[in-house]
């Protein structure tokens, strides 16, 4: 039985769908034969959201962090018309399948005009690249760029300058369509060089981590492969139809699909070095990231596992990797989805946040009805229980090794981490990925977490966790206007069945003719946090599942005078992007630390300027940078607040 069989918050017939997740099949997903799941309980959801909002407003009286600003969804103003489209296995041919994990969204300045452009990943209908034209507006340049990939089911995407020519290249992962490396030719144009680069792997790939594991100045790639969850049969739109027992595949050797470490050989050529570096990872993983955990100057890898414990691989001087999970992180989440390293309390030590969605998917705890919307329910850890056959000893052993919910590891120094997710208020419900940045510019980085399952489940909120001085997180999504969504919208027509045509044999069409609209709730998967409109504060772009994205624009600068600094790194001895650098900004008697990993959200890595909120500081005393090459750089002149600085390695 997979470790993911734990807490849920389902009602009615949707209970049996989550049971299928645990038991590995879709049998009973519609309850009785030929019956569809009920439409979402919109009035009940509105009532629950109103209660949560009132509860959060009352709690805010105790906050010691600034929350007097709001976000507004400006998707129409942005001009972005992209719409995420799902494969049928997430809709009319519903299966308990990993397609419902969705796709990423990533960003970089692709044309060198100083503004951040956005690439949306899609399952059906093609991906889209939107150029930032300023003022929060974008234009679609997909056709010109040549990066749409119509006909492929895409999953993750990463921007990185792989040949150090100053132009961000784009790597896109797919489900059995072949992964794609696009070389940036300049002027917003790209060329597919996947085959000649050696990166056209065909399988079930998800995230791709760009990092320089051997510090030779060239970015390497760790490709995260999940596991075999499809058949060779093609469905509508050309996707590969999923197997019906994917959960059982978690423990089947013939379903394993090892992840791959590619070494950058230069000249946009890559070599699989997984065996020679002893990085042989074959767990069911969706995402990963890197950080120099042991401080030896080489980036280490943290790789998630959605069906058991995650793994920490320590880099041995750029030569090989060793599994040292037990030494540093003896208990990890049971069903991890999102991950991010950052300095939570600004003590100069990099902490780690891991989100766990799968632990929220078991129907076997009797937590149904209105109480499953409550804060108490959603902040509770799950229980390691997936059937009556579990003995007390088995439950105890499972708790000893695994965390059934989110994990937050506070770095104590000296290689010691303390898991503090509950006292830090880091638990959330049905979480996917997380984006991190200083939303209120007070010097402490905050967290945005995408959440929800969509059809046929109930609605679940996206979370905004404001960092209260590095002591705890405060729930603030209702205070900041992220929840509830505009117009209290929680659902929409998810798909339409043609009951007189191609879908007439679908159980949803039992005793029905003509077109049948089927409603489902809204949910999100990936996100970006950067200054979209150029006014100095951080905004959010959220890729929603089977829907248009949200472009959440902050009005912080209209509500408060803020102080900040943006930094763009330019490596010379190091990789051009400076990925793997540690940057310290000293201002107002405080030191603010960030590790530049490019990790921007679920299934994605971006090239965004580093953003330092400076609190009340009006002067910057110094900037210290430890580059991946080992170069130590200190800058004390030409410093000013509320600007973007470009810092070149070795130049003062």
């Amino acid at each position: 039985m997979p470790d993911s069989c734990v807490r849920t918050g389902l009602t009615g017939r949707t209970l049996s769908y989550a049971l299928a997740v645990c038991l590995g099949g879709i049998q009973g997903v519609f309850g009785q034969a030929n019956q569809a799941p009920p439409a979402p309980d919109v009035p009940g959801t509105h009532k629950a959201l109103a209660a949560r909002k009132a509860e959060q407003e009352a709690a805010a009286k105790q906050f010691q962090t600034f929350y007097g600003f709001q976000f507004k969804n400006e998707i129409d103003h942005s001009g972005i018309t992209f719409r995420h489209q799902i494969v049928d296995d997430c809709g009319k041919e519903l299966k308990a399948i990993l397609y419902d994990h969705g796709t990423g969204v990533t960003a970089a300045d692709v044309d060198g005009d100083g503004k951040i452009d956005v690439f949306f990943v899609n399952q059906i209908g093609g991906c889209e690249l939107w150029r930032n034209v300023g003022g929060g507006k974008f234009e679609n340049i997909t056709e010109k760029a040549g990066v749409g990939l119509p006909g492929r089911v895409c999953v993750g995407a990463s921007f990185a300058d792989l040949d150090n020519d100053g132009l961000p290249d784009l790597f896109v992962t797919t489900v059995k369509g072949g992964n794609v490396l696009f070389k940036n030719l300049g002027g917003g144009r790209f060329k597919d060089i996947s085959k000649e680069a050696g990166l056209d792997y065909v399988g079930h790939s998800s995230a791709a981590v760009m990092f320089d594991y051997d510090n030779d100045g060239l970015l390497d790639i760790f490709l995260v492969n999940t596991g075999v969850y499809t058949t060779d049969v093609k469905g509508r739109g050309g996707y590969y139809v999923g197997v019906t027992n994917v959960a059982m595949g978690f423990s089947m050797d013939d379903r394993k699909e090892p992840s791959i470490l590619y070494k950058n050989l230069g000249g946009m050529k890559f070599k699989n070095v997984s065996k020679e570096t002893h990085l042989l990872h074959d767990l069911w993983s969706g995402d990963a990231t890197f950080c120099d955990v042991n401080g030896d100057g080489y980036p280490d890898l943290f790789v998630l596992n959605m069906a058991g414990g995650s793994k920490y691989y320590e880099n041995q001087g750029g030569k090989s990797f060793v599994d040292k999970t037990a030494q540093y992180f003896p208990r990890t989440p049971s069903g991890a989805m999102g991950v991010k390293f950052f300095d939570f309390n600004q003590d100069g030590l990099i902490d780690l946040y891991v989100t766990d969605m799968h632990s929220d998917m078991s129907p076997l705890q009797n937590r149904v009805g209105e109480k499953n919307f409550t804060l108490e329910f959603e902040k509770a850890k799950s229980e390691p229980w997936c059937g009556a056959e579990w003995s007390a000893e088995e439950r105890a052993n499972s708790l000893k090794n695994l965390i059934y919910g989110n994990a937050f590891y506070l770095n104590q120094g000296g290689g010691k981490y303390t898991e503090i997710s509950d006292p830090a208020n880091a638990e959330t419900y049905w979480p996917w990925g997380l984006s991190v940045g200083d939303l209120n510019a007070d010097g402490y980085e905050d967290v945005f977490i995408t959440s929800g399952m969509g059809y046929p489940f109930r609605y679940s909120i996206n979370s905004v966790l404001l960092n209260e001085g590095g002591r705890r997180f405060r729930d603030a999504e209702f205070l900041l206007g992220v929840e509830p969504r505009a117009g209290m919208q929680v659902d929409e027509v998810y798909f339409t069945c043609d009951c007189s045509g191609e879908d007439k044999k679908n159980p949803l069409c039992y005793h029905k003719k003509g077109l049948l609209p089927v409603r489902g709730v809204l949910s999100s998967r990936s996100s970006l946090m950067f200054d979209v409109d150029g006014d100095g504060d951080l905004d959010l772009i959220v890729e929603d599942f089977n829907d248009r994205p949200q472009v959440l624009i902050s009005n912080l600068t209209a509500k408060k005078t803020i102080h900040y600094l943006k930094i763009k790194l330019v490596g010379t001895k190091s990789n051009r992007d400076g990925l793997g650098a540690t940057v310290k900004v000293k201002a107002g008697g405080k030191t603010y630390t960030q590790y530049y990993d490019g990790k921007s959200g679920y299934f994605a890595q971006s090239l965004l300027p580093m953003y330092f909120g400076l609190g009340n500081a009006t002067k910057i005393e110094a900037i210290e940078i430890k580059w991946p090459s080992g170069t130590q750089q200190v800058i004390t002149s030409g410093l000013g607040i509320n600007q973007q600085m470009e810092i070149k390695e070795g130049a003062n």
Side-chain angles (χ1 to χ4, degrees), residues 346-360:
Q346 290 302 343
D347 64 352
L349 302 172
I350 306 300
D351 312 298
L352 175 62
Y353 198 152
V354 179
T355 56
D356 177 347
M357 189 283 299
H358 268 161
S359 286
D360 292 336

Side-chain angles (χ1 to χ4, degrees), residues 9 45 74 121 126 132 149 202 226 236 252 266 274 342 345 401 432 441 463 468 485 495 511 545 549 557 594 617:
T45 301
E74 297 284 6
V121 184
N132 189 335
L149 297 174
V202 178
T226 301
R236 188 174 64 96
M252 297 167 62
S274 304
F342 67 105
N345 55 0
N401 299 316
W432 296 99
S463 297
E468 191 173 69
R485 301 185 186 212
F495 56 88
H511 283 175
F545 192 63
T557 54
Q594 291 186 27

Side-chain angles (χ1 to χ4, degrees), residues 2-311:
D3 293 317
S4 57
C5 300
V6 282
R7 181 185 66 183
T8 192
L10 310 182
T11 59
R13 295 187 183 92
T14 61
L15 214 60
S16 56
Y17 176 77
L19 182 58
V21 173
C22 268
L23 300 182
I26 196 62
Q27 297 85 355
V29 65
F30 298 130
Q32 300 177 9
N34 298 322
Q35 290 189 11
D41 179 10
V42 174
T45 301
H46 286 172
K47 179 181 177 182
L49 292 177
R52 287 287 293 276
K53 181 178 181 181
E55 183 180 30
Q56 198 166 100
E57 289 173 341
K61 296 177 182 178
Q62 306 299 320
F63 286 13
Q64 297 179 33
T65 186
F66 182 72
Y67 61 89
F69 64 105
Q70 292 78 38
F71 291 91
K72 181 180 179 182
N73 187 0
E74 297 284 6
I75 181 64
D76 292 332
H77 172 78
S78 75
I80 295 172
T81 58
F82 170 80
R83 184 182 180 91
H84 187 266
Q85 298 180 62
I86 57 172
V87 299
D88 283 347
D89 276 2
C90 295
K92 62 175 68 176
E93 303 294 339
L94 186 65
K95 291 185 178 72
I97 192 70
L98 301 187
Y99 281 122
D100 64 10
H101 290 194
T103 61
V105 58
T106 185
D109 178 6
V110 302
D111 54 3
D113 67 353
K115 295 184 284 291
I116 301 299
D117 313 300
V118 179
F119 181 76
F120 294 97
V121 184
N122 214 350
Q123 289 187 336
I124 298 293
C127 306
E128 293 182 9
L129 177 60
W130 286 80
R131 178 175 175 266
N132 189 335
V133 297
K137 292 181 177 291
F138 294 79
E139 65 174 351
N140 190 345
I141 62 168
T142 308
E143 184 175 354
K144 171 188 173 183
V147 294
L149 297 174
R152 302 198 207 193
V153 177
C154 299
V155 184
S158 298
F159 277 114
D161 187 354
L162 295 173
D163 55 359
N164 291 334
D165 65 352
L167 300 171
D169 308 299
L170 175 63
F171 187 73
V172 184
T173 63
T174 76
V175 181
K176 292 171 72 170
N179 298 331
V180 185
L181 174 61
F182 289 107
K183 176 175 170 53
N184 192 330
L185 303 177
R189 298 179 184 275
F190 292 79
K191 179 183 178 181
D192 181 351
I193 62 166
S194 314
K195 186 174 183 178
E196 52 263 48
L199 295 174
D200 57 341
Y201 174 83
V202 178
H204 301 78
S205 301
S206 53
V209 180
M210 311 298 187
F211 74 130
D212 186 0
Y213 80 88
D214 53 0
N215 287 344
D216 66 352
L218 296 170
L219 289 173
D220 311 296
I221 302 174
F222 180 69
L223 174 66
V224 183
N225 292 323
T226 301
V228 178
Y229 58 88
T230 65
T231 67
D232 291 328
V233 177
K234 284 196 173 183
R236 188 174 64 96
Y239 83 101
Y240 287 91
V241 175
V243 299
T244 57
N245 62 339
V246 67
M248 293 297 96
F250 293 161
S251 59
M252 297 167 62
D253 287 341
D254 62 350
R255 294 278 183 86
K256 291 182 177 181
E257 192 170 329
S259 297
I260 301 171
L261 177 63
Y262 292 105
K263 176 175 171 55
N264 190 336
L265 303 176
M268 295 298 258
K269 305 288 185 181
F270 293 81
K271 176 186 177 183
N272 183 344
V273 295
S274 304
K275 289 184 179 180
E276 62 190 75
T277 59
H278 309 296
L279 187 56
L280 302 175
H281 181 89
D282 61 2
L283 301 177
W284 282 70
S285 299
D287 217 339
T289 193
F290 69 95
C291 186
D292 183 7
V293 170
N294 63 349
D296 68 350
Y298 288 89
D300 311 300
L301 274 173
F302 194 94
V303 188
L304 303 184
N305 181 9
M306 65 182 69
S310 298
K311 291 291 185 179

Side-chain angles (χ1 to χ4, degrees), residues 109 112 114 166 566-570 576-577 596 608-610 627 644-648:
D109 178 6
K566 300 177 187 177
I567 295 177
K568 179 183 178 181
L569 299 176
V570 179
R576 177 70 180 243
D577 298 325
Y596 188 51
L608 302 172
M610 304 177 76
W627 294 87
Q644 178 168 316
M645 290 184 64
E646 181 174 289
I647 301 178
K648 189 174 183 179

